[in-house]
Amino acid sequence: MVATRAQTGDTPRKTPHPGYVETPTRRFPSATPDSQQTGTDLTKADSTDVQLSARRKSSVRNSGVGGDPNGPLSPPGTATRGSSENKRKTKRRYTRSREVVCRFCEKPDSRVGNKIVFCDGCDSPWHQTCHNPPIPEEVVAIKEAQWFCAECLAKRGLARIESKHHIEFGGTPGVSAMMAGFPLLMYYMWIGATFYDGHLPWPAQSQSASDFVKQLGYLTYENAFPTLQAWIIYWAFFLFEAVCYLYLPGITTKGKPLPHEGGKRLDYYCSGLWSFYMTIAVAGALHWTGLFKLYTVLDEFGPIMSVAIISGFVISFLAYFSALYRGAQHRMTGRPIYDFFMGAELNPRMFGLLDFKMFSEVRIPWYILFLISCAAAARQYEQFGFVSGEIGFLLMAHFLYANACAKGEECIATSCQKNRFRQEELGTLIKRKTFPQLPWQTVKNPKIIRTDAGDSILADGWYGYARKIHYTADMYFALSWALITGFQSPLPWFYPVFFFCMISHRAYRDVQKCEAKYGEAWQEYKRQVPYLFIPYVF
């Protein structure tokens, strides 16, 4: 057994932090053979290091608050250095500081529900809500609790385990159902659109359920098999967009601070607008020259969809196991299927250049949707010599949406009124002239609510009418896209129904996180802006 320095009496000196009030909440027992076998799953060498750090961290420090400013003040129930109780010392929890600040927000405030907590491994200070995941209240309240920051866990190869209340989407059963069910649902709707004249596929009167399922499988295999042509079309588009992402003109912006990276802010290169118009130019040239007719994506939609589904799973597997191999996993739960669905790495990047989340946020879904609308218009014009009002409306709507995502791509990296407010607050706002720029995109001298977390809540502009009004705008778009098609087919209505369910769940998650992070400030925001989605209604 390796003796610790606390056992030998050679307790290392700690850095003094004047101006703190020390709250004696728990004590560490002296190191014994029994105590060294409990608490964590660290190796023997790591366990010794943690014990040493815990004793460094738990040393009693003098404070001039609440007593003689020129003399030491020991908290009641604790022993000063050199006393007979030197082996049982107190865990530090601070209520106010002038020198030691949170490693993330660099603020000294330490209040109830958001105290500064020191890591048992590296002794770095963190606010409870600044660390990701937030530090549980049990770490402050329970005397025997130990807490290690994300960096210390990563150094020791330990995956961060979230508590049960962080599990979402029904856990492993829920995410398994989604990963299996959504691709099947896509095939089901594609069969309805292609072979059932836009109606839902349903068994014939004398057809058994097993025969019906076999029929669906046969139609899928015969008409949606991932052909070589489909692989070439999809991956040519994918690689073209990747090259545009990396090399076309754009701006570089900063992302949100990453608590698990010590507040590091990643750089994001935003070339979405140039990529969008370059995509339109190349697609138009290919169509008009006859090298690749746009409506080919309609004729080969089934095989291309299969390639897209397979490619999505392949990329996800590569990102997941690459993160595990590199030790870059984040907020792991120990449930492999659930962790795969949620993602092992918070910011996966290919060779540190192409950010998969930024790339997939705009280019893959919205550019493809716009190109499909272009393909429908091209097919209609070639067959009938005109483009119907319904197709023209969808072409305009999908262009405006994709263009909006591209021209404001820099706002995606922060989390466009609210995002521009946040960028202006951090001093990272970049004024652009991308088309079209509207005068109310940035609120001047906005009404704000200060929070204990160190930032502010925007309670002005659109967000002075409803707290999640941007979700309302998205819902309006989804409804308008379905309404223009009428009611003869239920398939166009899948998207607004799905979007409403998804956005309601996301809003619920957002509200929970905001209430936990902002506390009373969020309650004040709810009093000032009582409506969630629709002003004066809901």
Side-chain angles (χ1 to χ4, degrees), residues 106-380:
E106 298 183 351
K107 295 184 180 297
D109 305 295
S110 185
R111 306 180 182 183
V112 175
N114 193 31
K115 290 184 176 294
I116 289 181
V117 179
F118 285 77
C119 172
D120 280 295
C122 64
D123 211 32
S124 58
W126 289 86
H127 276 124
Q128 287 179 259
T129 59
C130 286
H131 191 271
N132 190 5
I135 303 171
E137 191 64 31
E138 289 82 359
V139 173
V140 178
I142 300 176
K143 296 181 179 181
E144 293 78 13
Q146 283 187 323
W147 177 76
F148 300 94
C149 68
E151 290 186 11
C152 287
L153 291 178
K155 289 177 182 178
R156 291 170 170 81
L158 299 177
R160 185 162 52 203
I161 304 299
E162 291 188 346
S163 56
K164 291 183 179 180
H165 65 271
H166 286 107
I167 301 299
E168 301 178 277
F169 304 110
T172 298
V175 300
S176 299
M178 285 192 284
M179 287 190 288
F182 280 131
L184 294 176
L185 180 61
M186 296 302 102
Y187 284 116
Y188 179 79
M189 293 195 296
W190 169 75
I191 290 174
T194 306
F195 301 102
Y196 286 79
D197 196 26
H199 297 287
L200 296 178
W202 202 253
Q205 284 186 342
S206 59
Q207 191 177 29
S208 65
S210 60
D211 289 340
F212 175 66
V213 172
K214 291 179 182 178
Q215 178 185 342
L216 295 182
Y218 174 79
L219 291 174
T220 301
Y221 179 80
E222 287 295 321
N223 299 278
F225 188 83
T227 61
L228 177 61
Q229 182 186 18
W231 282 100
I232 293 174
I233 291 174
Y234 183 82
W235 277 96
F237 171 79
F238 192 98
L239 295 175
F240 171 77
E241 293 299 335
V243 172
C244 291
Y245 174 98
L246 294 173
Y247 297 110
L248 287 183
I251 64 170
T252 300
T253 187
K254 293 284 187 180
K256 288 182 176 181
L258 302 176
H260 68 287
E261 295 284 352
K264 179 182 178 180
R265 303 179 66 189
L266 299 178
D267 289 328
Y268 288 88
Y269 185 66
C270 303
S271 58
L273 195 70
W274 274 85
S275 298
F276 184 48
Y277 285 100
M278 181 62 73
T279 300
I280 295 174
V282 172
L286 291 174
H287 178 79
W288 291 111
T289 59
L291 294 175
F292 181 83
K293 292 292 186 179
L294 277 176
Y295 44 71
T296 305
V297 300
L298 301 180
D299 300 332
E300 300 295 324
F301 189 86
I304 293 174
M305 181 176 68
S306 297
V307 171
I309 292 173
I310 296 171
S311 300
F313 275 101
V314 169
I315 293 174
S316 299
F317 273 109
L318 291 175
Y320 179 76
F321 288 106
S322 171
L324 296 183
Y325 177 78
R326 294 179 287 110
Q329 62 266 36
H330 177 71
R331 63 184 181 192
M332 304 292 282
T333 66
R335 301 168 173 85
I337 296 177
Y338 178 81
D339 290 336
F340 170 76
F341 178 85
M342 298 298 290
E345 190 174 3
L346 185 61
N347 302 97
R349 294 189 167 194
M350 186 176 68
F351 306 119
L353 299 175
L354 192 147
D355 187 279
F356 280 117
K357 287 186 178 180
M358 177 70 81
F359 180 76
S360 303
E361 180 81 17
V362 175
R363 291 162 175 80
I364 300 301
W366 301 118
Y367 291 8
I368 288 180
L369 180 64
F370 174 67
L371 290 176
I372 290 174
S373 300
C374 291
R379 169 60 58 80
Q380 198 175 61

Side-chain angles (χ1 to χ4, degrees), residues 462-531:
W462 290 114
Y463 295 92
Y465 293 99
R467 302 190 299 275
K468 298 293 179 183
I469 199 167
H470 52 295
Y471 292 163
T472 308
D474 270 329
M475 192 65 220
Y476 168 78
F477 298 146
L479 281 173
S480 66
W481 299 351
L483 282 169
I484 196 65
T485 67
F487 299 94
Q488 293 183 349
S489 172
L491 299 181
W493 289 90
F494 168 77
Y495 176 65
V497 172
F498 166 80
F499 186 83
F500 176 78
C501 297
M502 181 273 293
I503 215 67
S504 298
H505 178 251
R506 179 182 292 182
Y508 172 75
R509 295 167 63 200
D510 290 347
V511 169
Q512 281 189 318
K513 292 178 181 178
C514 289
E515 286 180 343
K517 181 177 181 180
Y518 298 123
E520 181 57 34
W522 183 256
Q523 300 304 319
E524 176 60 27
Y525 183 40
K526 289 172 65 176
R527 286 190 287 269
Q528 294 186 21
V529 185
Y531 304 102

Side-chain angles (χ1 to χ4, degrees), residues 420-439:
R420 293 186 183 277
F421 159 73
R422 194 69 67 201
Q423 290 175 339
E424 196 170 41
E425 189 178 47
L426 296 173
T428 60
L429 178 64
I430 300 175
K431 295 183 179 180
R432 306 186 68 185
K433 297 181 180 180
T434 48
F435 173 82
Q437 291 295 313
L438 303 176

